[in-house]
Amino acid sequence: PGSLEIHVDSRSEFIVRDKLFGFQYHSFVFENKGGTLEEVRRNEYNRLSFLSRSLVEEMRAQEKLFAYHDGGASGLEEIRQLVRALNLYGENTLLWMVKAPTEAAIGTAQQVEPGLIEAYVSGFQTPVGDVRPTSVHQPSWLSAALQGYNLWRPHA
């Protein structure tokens, strides 16, 4: 419970960061519209409890493609650990979003091994801590995610 850090961004939105896992995301609660830190804290702890239970159920059901990125911080060995963790609950597949090695690869995806698909994007929103609703990289993300999904779907 003590791993959440909440701050207000320049648009007055409360941004939530999990210090333990490094996740950062929108709360969709704005200080200038009456939102409070206590409200966000309560909402997020309840939401995270629900989401963690849902995640375990989804991994057991083996019916979803799980997407992940960390801005390029992890290498293949770390990602294989994540794939192994997903597969503790069943035969699941991870769609790993990475910066494309070449311009021609942008917006594409490839099966790396069973349970792992690599999707190539043009880049990541920077600075990483600046969470915005859109990015210049969005078209490549949509294309790469769709290609990854199409690779996975026949096996689902």
Side-chain angles (χ1 to χ4, degrees), residues 56 111 133-134 141:
V56 170
Q111 182 89 39
T134 60
W141 281 71

Side-chain angles (χ1 to χ4, degrees), residues 3-141:
S3 71
L4 291 186
E5 184 177 81
I6 303 167
H7 71 275
V8 177
D9 72 4
S10 61
R11 296 174 303 119
S12 169
E13 181 183 7
F14 287 94
I15 300 297
V16 182
R17 180 174 178 272
D18 184 307
K19 294 183 291 186
L20 182 61
F21 297 105
F23 295 132
Q24 183 167 298
Y25 54 92
H26 296 274
S27 70
F28 303 102
V29 176
F30 292 81
E31 190 173 51
N32 65 0
K33 293 184 180 172
T36 66
L37 181 60
E38 245 345 279
E39 172 190 6
V40 173
R41 246 191 216 117
R42 184 182 60 250
N43 289 351
E44 292 311 307
Y45 286 120
N46 290 334
R47 188 164 76 114
L48 291 175
S49 294
F50 168 77
L51 289 174
S52 61
R53 286 190 308 271
S54 295
L55 176 60
V56 170
E57 289 171 12
E58 289 171 346
M59 287 185 294
R60 287 185 177 137
Q62 304 170 59
E63 296 173 347
K64 295 207 174 178
L65 176 62
F66 294 92
Y68 177 78
H69 93 82
D70 59 9
S74 294
L76 184 56
E77 287 312 308
E78 291 93 352
I79 295 304
R80 283 180 172 144
Q81 289 176 359
L82 181 54
V83 170
R84 284 192 296 274
L86 280 171
N87 287 314
L88 291 173
Y89 297 90
E91 290 184 29
N92 291 294
T93 300
L94 182 71
L95 179 64
W96 180 27
M97 310 300 281
V98 300
K99 186 163 178 18
T102 66
E103 194 167 323
I106 293 172
T108 66
Q110 72 171 354
Q111 182 89 39
V112 175
E113 56 196 43
L116 179 59
I117 297 170
E118 201 170 44
Y120 302 115
V121 297
S122 59
F124 301 97
Q125 195 167 280
T126 56
V128 174
D130 186 15
V131 179
R132 285 178 261 153
T134 60
S135 166
V136 296
H137 303 293
Q138 188 176 32
S140 72
W141 281 71

